[in-house]
Amino acid sequence: MLKFFQKAEKIRCGVVGTGSLGQHHARIYASMKDAVLAGVCDTDPARAAEIAARHNCRAFASVDELAGACDAVSVVVPTDRHAEVALPLLARGCHLLIEKPLCATLDEASQVLAAAQAAGAIVQVGHIEHFNPVMSFLEKHIDRPGYITTERLGTYQTRGTEVGVVLDLMIHDIGIVLALVKSPIARIDSLGINVLSKTEDIANARIQFENGCVANLNASRLSLKRSREIRIFQDNAYLSLDFMNQKGHLVKKSDIIAYGLKMKVGLAKPGDVSSIPVVDVPIEKGEPLALELASFVESVRAARQPKVGAALGKSALEVAITITDQIRRAAKPA
């Protein structure tokens, strides 16, 4: 059964995994007014001690010891260790934020969901883009998407290569598309290429939904630049948005009609770019990870299901695994 916290009671938070991302979980928890960073844990004791000293908290020698001091824990370890770390934490009654993807396999994801249900614990999955102000804008303005394209490019680094680029990067856009389209999937067609890793480094997936919407997703971790962009077309608007720089533009059908009327009366001429109704999107910028962790802590405090719960995390994982399976089958010699 979920525990309710008093309004003035601080949520005791912990972090398992203090690497390049986990250190930021620790930083943000330590800065929260309604939470306290109780401690951290890492397979590298020296690294855990360094982060603990930085934020004046305790470095725990084991996950079990950390669990005893925490109400909520971020699991920020390699994907193939998510279930290994999450299951004992859930058994101790900790609420969890598990970095995306939820797990490396559907079987492990099912084990985590069952353990969370048995413990009455919240599991939030770290699909961070759902807390990006860009996503907040999309949720307000997109209600019937017809065609979506996404591009997610990253530079090569060894971190994260325990899984392919689909589970590493594309899964962000899978989660975004599932949340926006809200329709069962009719068909998935995928391709990918291994270049420097044992798994795919470049991938493309075309997802067709039962409501007719089509999403074309591209991901690469071999780019010379980083990019996180989405373009959405629906019957009354076109949006092009940049998740990384939190900006973009919008073209509305109503504005195009008005532009056409201006051309008819001579107030605008064909090819007059300055008159084309492209509007910059008003996005109030914010740190997505800080917004994500604040939402997680509030879900724990209010004993409510998180915005990105385990069910959505598992659905995104199912799609990602379907894509990777298609890629691997195609790569096998006939």
Side-chain angles (χ1 to χ4, degrees):
M1 188 172 181
L2 296 180
K3 174 185 175 182
F4 287 87
F5 293 86
Q6 299 297 321
K7 187 173 182 180
E9 188 177 359
K10 291 192 174 185
I11 307 299
R12 300 173 302 160
C13 299
V15 179
V16 180
T18 54
S20 58
L21 180 56
Q23 65 177 330
H24 294 295
H25 280 248
R27 167 181 61 83
I28 292 167
Y29 283 136
S31 68
M32 286 185 178
K33 293 181 180 179
D34 55 353
V36 58
L37 179 62
V40 298
C41 180
D42 196 280
T43 53
D44 180 353
R47 175 63 175 177
E50 175 191 347
I51 299 301
R54 186 182 302 172
H55 299 297
N56 193 30
C57 69
R58 181 178 170 186
F60 289 89
S62 70
V63 170
D64 189 63
E65 290 181 10
L66 175 73
C70 295
D71 305 306
V73 177
S74 282
V75 177
V76 200
V77 298
T79 302
D80 54 6
R81 292 192 59 228
H82 281 185
E84 172 193 339
V85 172
L87 291 172
L89 287 169
L90 290 169
R92 293 292 301 274
C94 293
H95 302 289
L96 302 184
L97 189 154
I98 304 175
E99 269 301 334
K100 63 80 200 164
L102 174 57
C103 290
T105 69
L106 289 173
D107 181 60
E108 289 180 345
S110 295
Q111 291 179 46
V112 169
L113 265 64
Q117 186 174 15
I122 288 170
V123 172
Q124 178 169 318
V125 185
H127 284 268
I128 191 171
E129 297 290 34
H130 288 256
F131 299 90
N132 191 309
V134 168
M135 187 64 175
S136 298
F137 183 87
L138 288 173
E139 289 168 337
K140 292 177 183 176
H141 292 84
I142 295 297
D143 55 4
R144 49 188 184 278
Y147 182 65
I148 301 173
T149 66
T150 69
E151 181 179 74
R152 191 165 292 263
L153 309 178
T155 56
Y156 187 77
Q157 49 189 320
T158 55
R159 181 179 64 84
T161 54
E162 73 276 1
V163 295
V165 73
V166 174
L167 284 172
D168 184 24
L169 297 181
M170 185 185 284
I171 196 165
H172 282 295
D173 296 314
I174 293 171
I176 290 167
V177 167
L178 291 179
L180 292 176
V181 179
K182 299 181 180 70
S183 171
I185 293 173
R187 180 183 175 91
I188 299 176
D189 295 287
S190 317
L191 58 88
I193 301 173
N194 302 15
V195 181
L196 299 180
S197 308
K198 294 180 180 180
T199 52
E200 78 283 349
D201 294 307
I202 300 172
N204 168 265
R206 184 182 186 274
I207 304 175
Q208 184 174 338
F209 293 87
E210 289 184 5
N211 68 359
C213 181
V214 172
N216 192 11
L217 282 56
N218 294 287
S220 170
R221 56 187 180 196
L222 297 179
S223 177
L224 297 179
K225 65 172 184 176
R226 295 172 63 240
S227 174
R228 309 197 315 260
E229 298 181 356
I230 187 169
R231 295 173 181 83
I232 304 178
F233 302 80
Q234 62 181 32
D235 58 13
N236 65 346
Y238 156 66
L239 292 94
S240 177
L241 295 170
D242 181 340
F243 278 92
M244 187 166 68
N245 297 301
Q246 298 180 4
K247 64 179 184 179
H249 58 265
L250 165 68
V251 178
K252 292 183 179 179
K253 184 177 181 178
S254 57
D255 292 340
I256 293 174
I257 292 172
Y259 173 64
L261 292 174
K262 284 184 179 180
M263 286 199 297
K264 282 186 178 181
V265 298
L267 296 177
K269 297 179 180 179
D272 184 1
V273 178
S274 63
S275 299
I276 295 175
V278 178
V279 178
D280 288 337
V281 171
I283 295 176
E284 184 177 347
K285 296 187 177 183
E287 183 182 1
L289 183 59
L291 296 171
E292 179 182 48
L293 296 187
S295 179
F296 172 55
V297 167
E298 184 53 36
S299 293
V300 170
R301 178 179 301 283
R304 71 184 185 200
Q305 287 304 308
K307 179 180 181 181
V308 184
L312 189 148
K314 188 181 179 185
S315 296
L317 179 62
E318 288 174 345
V319 174
I321 287 177
T322 297
I323 293 169
T324 56
D325 285 348
Q326 288 184 357
I327 290 171
R328 288 166 192 175
R329 284 197 300 268
K332 289 181 179 179

